[in-house]
Amino acid sequence: MTVELICVGTELLLGNIVNTNAAFLAEQCAALGLSCYYQTVVGDNRERLLQTVHTALSRSDIILLSGGLGPTKDDLTKETVAEALGLKLLEDKASREKIASYFQTRGKIPTENNWKQALVPEGGRAVENRNGTAPGIIMERDGKCIVLMPGPPEELKPMFMEEIAPYLRKLGGEVISSVTVKIVGIGESSAETKVADLMEKQDNPTLAPYAKTGEVHFRVTARAGTETEAAALNAPLVEELKKRFGSFVYTTDDAVTLEKAVADILRKRGLTMTTAESCTGGMLAARMVNVAGVSEVLKAGFVTYANEAKSSLLGVREETLRLFGAVSSRTAEEMAQGAARAAGADVAVAITGIAGPDGGTAKKPVGLVYISCYVCGKADTQEYHFAGSRMKIREYATVSALTQLRRMLVS
Amino acid sequence: MTVELICVGTELLLGNIVNTNAAFLAEQCAALGLSCYYQTVVGDNRERLLQTVHTALSRSDIILLSGGLGPTKDDLTKETVAEALGLKLLEDKASREKIASYFQTRGKIPTENNWKQALVPEGGRAVENRNGTAPGIIMERDGKCIVLMPGPPEELKPMFMEEIAPYLRKLGGEVISSVTVKIVGIGESSAETKVADLMEKQDNPTLAPYAKTGEVHFRVTARAGTETEAAALNAPLVEELKKRFGSFVYTTDDAVTLEKAVADILRKRGLTMTTAESCTGGMLAARMVNVAGVSEVLKAGFVTYANEAKSSLLGVREETLRLFGAVSSRTAEEMAQGAARAAGADVAVAITGIAGPDGGTAKKPVGLVYISCYVCGKADTQEYHFAGSRMKIREYATVSALTQLRRMLVS
């Protein structure tokens, strides 16, 4: 079955807020095995909403609408959807009582507007809203199903999980199951070239690449009658991807990030880690601290942006800085060794580079970065050239540092 | 003129990512005085994208598309839009050269796929992408304007600001001028209540609030015949906002971020700064390093996630840790003082807290954070309670540290 999302709200059209409802509903619908082909955002405007609802009815089985159920004049989703379906609005007694008690509990008096929220299109069913005054509504007509939900995420999310998802689950027959194969150390194009034949013949399961900064994720998705059958359809393709990408694959677990994969290897081997960052200025340490409970592994980190800090905190020799410069292979290596010593850690990762926009020269252009990984007495130092904004160069440097360290640990 | 957004990507339909591009583009279009009535999300599917483009062409003057310009087979936005407009794809020499040099700089070899990104619909103009390989494209046909941009926000945002916005600004007859009044230290609801009367009677200029993490931005936008007239219309409202919010206003310059505002104050006063971070793990230092040329101000930073690092690197007393715990006002203060001493800096900011999801207790719940600012011998330590995910709590802690330091420096 197909589902379509319509999010109603002028604040979305003006970009005042980010549409997190759409992402939430899309993810939930995918988990329910519903195919979502369109999401639309439209303002609180009768004509344009009417047109959007008619278009959706012509091409989708289920339509989920959010927003525009409030008590104000601007809120006209319910009235407009009823008009599109040719239905009258009738007062729902239970909803009216709930509104009355909601205001009574809070010691407030409802205005005339508020009673509007008790109206339900004929044949429709009001859905309780435990976190606000606007009830949701479920309608079925001509084989289509239309669901109205309030716009505030803290009202919509619990209503969807508690009331709407169980209702939708009964409508569809299929189950969908996904596995994500996460890869680092190889670019998106090269990765895709390696699996062009698999992409070509995809059907069930499907295979889709997602490029992240410095990573490629392949999502394998199957549909079947049961969860077990869907998982069984996915398994051979997941195995094939693992075989082709070998140690480039760092996980097939949705919850595992690259920093968590690195932290897990260190923890298993009983190694502690530290960081020494110049141009990234703490981004590598902050990524490690994304991992809850990382204190077992990451004891300390150093941000040594100025040359004097590289010397005084990490013991980088002044001669090294003078002869090779702060952005050099030698300085990176001394930063890593010095950080390991200063923090008493087994492993240290040092980053030094030119993030721009200024400070580049012909010999040392913006984007030049040296990363040194020091693991139990051995050092591996690499030179990188990144392009893009100051932020992008620093993000690439951070993910490359994690990738380089992981490679050294698993090889 | 009307504008319509079409965001292309299966990852949006599956809810893998939140559509921040739509919010960004919508906000920018509003600032340009363009009316946006529809936003659509559609997958990487030829037929459905074709239908969506046709519908948009029938009702809007300008169509902004994002996503689907990558080198993979999934990426078919350019091909499909060319088909919808009846245009052939031709190779753009400049784009081909840029792709070649992009790979050469990185010492990598482009695959056959990559050259697809050099194709441009006939009569279209390639727009340089400084942060990736996929160029943007601008096309004009039958009085409509169609713009294609890459999907990754770090490529789309700079391209829009540098290339697309100036182009769109010339299309309309009127001139639009915006001023953003950026505020920290006061919540969104309180901020809006303070200007409810101004919001009520807005017309020209308009007044729109945008909530960021820990900040509120008010955008004042006027339309007029000339830039000077528009600016003159904005001026009284901007002054009124400055009067009402006083020292909560940290800038009215779009290019100035909170970290840049803080760095500028320190630079003007000839002060150097350091950081001592526990739960934020380097996020504060990394935000300071967002500011190009910050090395004048930020010499060094410490990530002291483990207790032993707090003692050995910052000299936090073991007695303090034992009696008050790592997450305490006293520890925060000793971290700040110790960091100032260890880095030889005039100013130090220390953050220690419980970011969760585990580690909270009844007395010290998840979200409890202490921030201590040490400025030339004086310390100010504050207790905070933040809600949300581990990442959200750390982001709030970082922006609060900047806010607290700024308050101390300007008061």
Side-chain angles (χ1 to χ4, degrees):
Chain A
M1 293 180 93
T2 59
V3 65
E4 180 157 351
L5 310 183
I6 301 175
C7 299
V8 185
T10 305
E11 68 280 17
L12 290 167
L13 289 181
L14 287 173
N16 293 354
I17 54 170
V18 176
N19 196 353
T20 54
N21 282 345
F24 169 80
L25 292 172
E27 188 178 346
Q28 294 303 322
C29 286
L32 290 167
L34 302 170
S35 301
C36 179
Y37 296 136
Y38 300 96
Q39 300 170 358
T40 307
V41 173
V42 62
D44 303 286
N45 173 285
R46 183 185 150 276
E47 270 170 58
R48 290 190 282 267
L49 180 53
L50 210 50
Q51 189 196 10
T52 303
V53 170
H54 278 303
T55 304
L57 283 167
S58 73
R59 64 191 182 188
S60 301
D61 303 316
I62 301 166
I63 304 167
L64 303 182
L65 290 107
S66 67
L69 299 183
T72 78
K73 268 189 193 158
D74 280 356
D75 298 301
L76 39 73
T77 301
K78 190 162 58 184
E79 293 76 357
T80 309
V81 171
E83 185 183 344
L85 297 170
L87 298 172
K88 276 186 204 159
L89 288 170
L90 307 172
E91 188 168 89
D92 179 67
K93 276 202 179 156
S95 296
R96 191 179 166 100
E97 281 163 21
K98 242 164 249 161
I99 291 168
S101 92
Y102 182 95
F103 278 90
Q104 206 171 12
T105 321
R106 282 158 186 76
K108 290 181 182 174
I109 294 155
T111 63
E112 208 40 55
N113 286 341
N114 292 112
W115 302 119
K116 200 181 90 165
Q117 297 188 296
L119 298 176
V120 173
E122 55 182 330
R125 172 159 80 80
V127 177
E128 195 180 340
N129 181 350
R130 272 182 254 282
N131 304 289
T133 54
I137 290 166
I138 294 176
M139 287 169 280
E140 290 175 13
R141 195 167 168 95
D142 304 330
K144 306 281 179 176
C145 159
I146 301 103
V147 178
L148 312 188
M149 288 170 285
E154 65 279 8
E155 299 179 27
L156 177 139
K157 289 181 183 181
M159 182 185 285
F160 186 88
M161 297 310 281
E162 291 160 20
E163 305 281 345
I164 311 299
Y167 163 78
L168 293 175
R169 198 168 284 124
K170 283 183 212 148
L171 287 181
E174 280 183 324
V175 172
I176 205 167
S177 177
S178 288
V179 178
T180 305
V181 180
K182 300 185 182 179
I183 293 162
V184 277
I186 181 168
E188 190 191 4
S189 300
S190 311
E192 210 203 319
T193 306
K194 263 187 189 289
V195 293
D197 57 318
L198 302 175
M199 301 277 298
E200 195 82 7
K201 36 173 200 195
Q202 60 170 307
D203 172 30
N204 189 21
T206 57
L207 179 60
Y210 294 88
K212 312 280 170 186
T213 298
E215 303 189 26
V216 183
H217 295 183
F218 282 101
R219 175 160 297 208
V220 179
T221 308
R223 294 154 189 270
T226 67
E227 182 73 38
T228 318
E229 284 167 32
L233 285 169
N234 281 334
L237 183 50
V238 170
E239 281 314 304
E240 183 61 26
L241 290 170
K242 281 184 176 175
K243 210 176 86 189
R244 295 199 186 181
F245 290 106
S247 66
F248 290 122
V249 177
Y250 71 82
T251 193
T252 55
D253 183 341
D254 262 336
V256 173
T257 57
L258 178 56
E259 53 267 31
K260 177 148 172 48
V262 170
D264 286 346
I265 299 170
L266 292 167
R267 191 181 291 127
K268 264 184 215 146
R269 295 181 42 184
L271 297 173
T272 59
M273 172 185 170
T274 188
T275 56
E277 303 180 64
S278 187
C279 62
T280 48
M283 289 168 83
L284 175 60
R287 267 196 78 165
M288 291 306 296
V289 176
N290 288 348
V291 182
V294 79
S295 60
E296 253 182 87
V297 166
L298 185 84
K299 299 297 173 192
F302 301 89
V303 177
T304 53
Y305 198 66
N307 276 359
E308 53 262 46
K310 291 184 182 72
S311 296
S312 66
L313 298 178
L314 306 176
V316 174
R317 286 176 303 167
E318 300 201 355
E319 198 189 340
T320 303
L321 292 169
R322 198 178 60 244
L323 290 177
F324 303 95
V327 179
S328 65
S329 173
R330 193 74 78 91
T331 296
E333 204 171 310
E334 289 188 23
M335 283 171 70
Q337 287 179 0
R341 198 171 46 232
D346 308 305
V347 173
V349 181
I351 304 174
T352 181
I354 300 166
D358 308 314
T361 63
K363 273 197 175 172
K364 295 191 177 179
V366 168
L368 172 67
V369 175
Y370 291 92
I371 299 175
S372 181
C373 296
Y374 174 92
V375 177
C376 305
K378 275 189 195 166
D380 169 45
T381 308
Q382 302 283 338
E383 178 180 316
Y384 295 84
H385 292 266
F386 303 117
S389 64
R390 179 175 176 84
M391 184 56 97
K392 204 69 210 164
I393 288 169
R394 294 161 70 216
E395 282 175 3
Y396 272 116
T398 305
V399 70
S400 299
L402 290 168
T403 304
Q404 187 179 323
L405 174 60
R406 180 182 168 275
R407 194 170 54 223
M408 209 172 159
L409 291 169
V410 299
S411 67
Chain B
M1 292 180 96
T2 58
V3 63
E4 178 156 354
L5 311 183
I6 301 176
C7 300
V8 185
T10 306
E11 66 279 20
L12 290 167
L13 289 181
L14 287 171
N16 296 148
I17 55 171
V18 176
N19 196 353
T20 54
N21 282 345
F24 169 80
L25 292 172
E27 185 180 345
Q28 294 303 325
C29 286
L32 290 168
L34 301 169
S35 302
C36 179
Y37 295 137
Y38 299 96
Q39 300 170 359
T40 307
V41 173
V42 63
D44 302 286
N45 173 283
R46 184 186 149 275
E47 271 172 58
R48 288 189 283 268
L49 180 52
L50 212 49
Q51 188 195 12
T52 302
V53 171
H54 279 305
T55 303
L57 283 168
S58 74
R59 64 190 181 189
S60 301
D61 303 315
I62 301 165
I63 304 168
L64 303 181
L65 289 107
S66 67
L69 298 183
T72 79
K73 275 200 184 136
D74 278 358
D75 297 301
L76 39 74
T77 300
K78 190 164 54 184
E79 293 77 356
T80 308
V81 171
E83 185 183 345
L85 297 170
L87 298 172
K88 276 187 205 160
L89 288 171
L90 307 173
E91 189 167 87
D92 179 66
K93 276 202 178 153
S95 297
R96 193 180 165 101
E97 280 163 20
K98 241 163 249 161
I99 291 168
S101 92
Y102 183 94
F103 278 90
Q104 205 172 9
T105 320
R106 283 161 189 73
K108 290 181 183 174
I109 294 155
T111 63
E112 210 38 58
N113 286 340
N114 291 112
W115 302 120
K116 200 182 91 166
Q117 297 189 296
L119 298 176
V120 173
E122 54 181 331
R125 170 159 81 82
V127 177
E128 193 180 343
N129 182 350
R130 275 181 252 283
N131 303 291
T133 53
I137 289 166
I138 294 177
M139 286 168 280
E140 290 174 14
R141 196 166 167 92
D142 304 330
K144 306 280 181 177
C145 159
I146 301 103
V147 178
L148 312 189
M149 289 169 284
E154 66 278 9
E155 299 179 26
L156 177 138
K157 289 180 184 183
M159 181 184 288
F160 187 88
M161 297 309 283
E162 291 161 21
E163 304 282 344
I164 310 299
Y167 162 79
L168 293 175
R169 200 169 284 124
K170 282 185 213 142
L171 285 182
E174 278 183 321
V175 173
I176 306 294
S177 176
S178 286
V179 178
T180 305
V181 179
K182 300 185 181 178
I183 293 162
V184 278
I186 181 168
E188 190 191 4
S189 303
S190 311
E192 281 185 44
T193 306
K194 262 186 189 290
V195 294
D197 57 318
L198 302 176
M199 303 276 297
E200 194 81 7
K201 37 174 197 192
Q202 60 171 304
D203 172 31
N204 190 21
T206 57
L207 179 62
Y210 292 85
K212 312 280 169 185
T213 299
E215 303 189 26
V216 182
H217 295 183
F218 282 101
R219 175 161 294 193
V220 179
T221 308
R223 299 157 188 259
T226 69
E227 182 74 36
T228 317
E229 285 167 29
L233 284 170
N234 281 334
L237 184 49
V238 170
E239 281 314 304
E240 183 61 27
L241 290 170
K242 282 185 175 175
K243 210 176 86 188
R244 294 199 189 183
F245 289 106
S247 66
F248 290 122
V249 177
Y250 72 82
T251 193
T252 55
D253 182 342
D254 262 336
V256 173
T257 57
L258 179 56
E259 53 267 31
K260 176 145 173 49
V262 169
D264 285 347
I265 299 170
L266 291 168
R267 190 181 292 128
K268 263 184 217 150
R269 294 181 44 182
L271 298 173
T272 59
M273 173 185 169
T274 187
T275 56
E277 303 181 64
S278 187
C279 62
T280 47
M283 289 169 80
L284 175 59
R287 266 196 80 164
M288 291 306 296
V289 176
N290 288 348
V291 183
V294 80
S295 60
E296 253 182 85
V297 166
L298 186 84
K299 299 295 171 191
F302 301 89
V303 177
T304 53
Y305 198 64
N307 276 359
E308 53 263 46
K310 292 183 182 72
S311 297
S312 66
L313 298 178
L314 306 177
V316 174
R317 287 175 302 166
E318 300 200 357
E319 198 188 341
T320 303
L321 292 169
R322 198 175 63 242
L323 290 177
F324 302 97
V327 179
S328 64
S329 173
R330 194 73 78 93
T331 297
E333 203 172 312
E334 290 187 21
M335 283 171 70
Q337 286 179 1
R341 197 169 45 234
D346 308 305
V347 173
V349 181
I351 304 174
T352 181
I354 300 166
D358 307 315
T361 63
K363 273 196 175 171
K364 295 190 176 179
V366 168
L368 173 67
V369 175
Y370 291 92
I371 298 175
S372 182
C373 295
Y374 174 92
V375 177
C376 305
K378 274 188 196 167
D380 168 46
T381 309
Q382 302 284 337
E383 178 180 318
Y384 297 85
H385 292 267
F386 302 117
S389 64
R390 179 176 177 84
M391 184 56 96
K392 208 72 206 160
I393 288 168
R394 292 162 71 217
E395 283 175 1
Y396 273 116
T398 305
V399 72
S400 299
L402 290 169
T403 303
Q404 187 180 322
L405 174 59
R406 179 183 168 275
R407 195 169 52 224
M408 208 169 160
L409 291 170
V410 298
S411 67

